[in-house]
Amino acid sequence: ERFSQTPFDICQPGLRYLASLYWAIVTLTSIGYGDMLPVTPAEFFMCCLGMLAGSLISTYLVGTGCHLLSNIRPEHQSYQRRMDSFNWLAADFALPEDLRVRGREFVRQSSSFERSTRSLQVLKDLSPSIRQAICDEIAAQLLQGIWIFRGTNTSFRADLINRMVPHFYSPAEVL
């Protein structure tokens, strides 16, 4: 009905393809048909460009948002990958349940150990004065509850913290 009011012949091959492209984009992008329609070839063309541009922009924004959300906690993702790898290993070799539980507990606890190791590396990269102030604070927090270190010099405790080397063993592991 609307095309009958225009001077353009919609049966021309170029206009037919343009109108078909318009309806395909409207349908595939689920923009909707609405109550306002393009009538002239220029309107069809501009509507197609606008819908494609809008769809590309919204797709880009959704993709970027998903990427940001998926990388919001890289340490947790690393833990999940290690746990998945262990579970696949356990399934592939049909490990007994008690060994699976021990392995999963080791993977779980090793993630906090790795975080401590990364923290120590960050500490080593700091300037000496900042590193000393942080070590003083860590020593105060960690060693103040241990009776043997009560009343000791702050610099001694900080030096002790600097010399500590973390090691990780699974629970109930015999050394």
Side-chain angles (χ1 to χ4, degrees):
E1 170 183 334
R2 292 194 61 175
F3 290 117
S4 64
Q5 301 170 2
T6 67
F8 301 103
D9 182 15
I10 195 64
C11 293
Q12 292 177 352
L15 293 179
R16 187 180 304 162
Y17 286 115
L18 188 58
S20 299
L21 179 65
Y22 167 81
W23 288 107
I25 293 172
V26 166
T27 303
L28 289 175
T29 58
S30 69
I31 289 174
Y33 303 107
D35 52 350
M36 294 182 65
L37 302 172
V39 177
T40 66
E43 290 173 351
F44 273 103
F45 182 73
M46 291 307 294
C47 284
C48 288
L49 283 180
M51 288 185 292
L52 286 175
S55 296
L56 289 174
I57 290 170
S58 65
T59 301
Y60 174 77
L61 292 175
V62 168
T64 302
C66 289
H67 175 73
L68 289 173
L69 289 175
S70 69
N71 291 321
I72 206 161
R73 293 176 54 199
E75 289 177 356
H76 183 69
Q77 287 180 339
S78 173
Y79 164 75
Q80 289 294 337
R81 279 194 298 275
R82 285 193 321 271
M83 187 63 79
D84 287 344
S85 295
F86 175 77
N87 286 331
W88 291 328
L89 171 91
D92 289 346
F93 291 100
L95 297 179
E97 187 61 30
D98 64 320
L99 193 52
R100 290 178 190 221
V101 169
R102 286 178 48 206
R104 288 183 191 118
E105 183 63 20
F106 181 84
V107 170
R108 187 184 66 75
Q109 290 184 1
S110 69
S111 66
S112 62
F113 174 75
E114 289 174 11
R115 183 176 179 174
S116 299
T117 304
R118 281 191 299 276
S119 297
L120 287 176
Q121 185 57 47
V122 168
L123 191 62
K124 288 178 183 177
D125 294 340
L126 295 174
S127 70
S129 63
I130 295 173
R131 182 176 44 237
Q132 184 64 42
I134 291 173
C135 284
D136 290 346
E137 184 62 33
I138 292 173
Q141 291 179 20
L142 293 180
L143 300 178
Q144 71 181 354
I146 302 173
W147 67 269
I148 198 166
F149 296 113
R150 288 188 193 134
T152 58
N153 188 335
T154 305
S155 61
F156 168 74
R157 288 182 293 193
D159 188 45
L160 184 63
I161 291 290
N162 272 326
R163 293 175 190 265
M164 288 183 171
V165 178
H167 296 282
F168 180 72
Y169 303 99
S170 65
E173 186 171 339
V174 177
L175 302 179

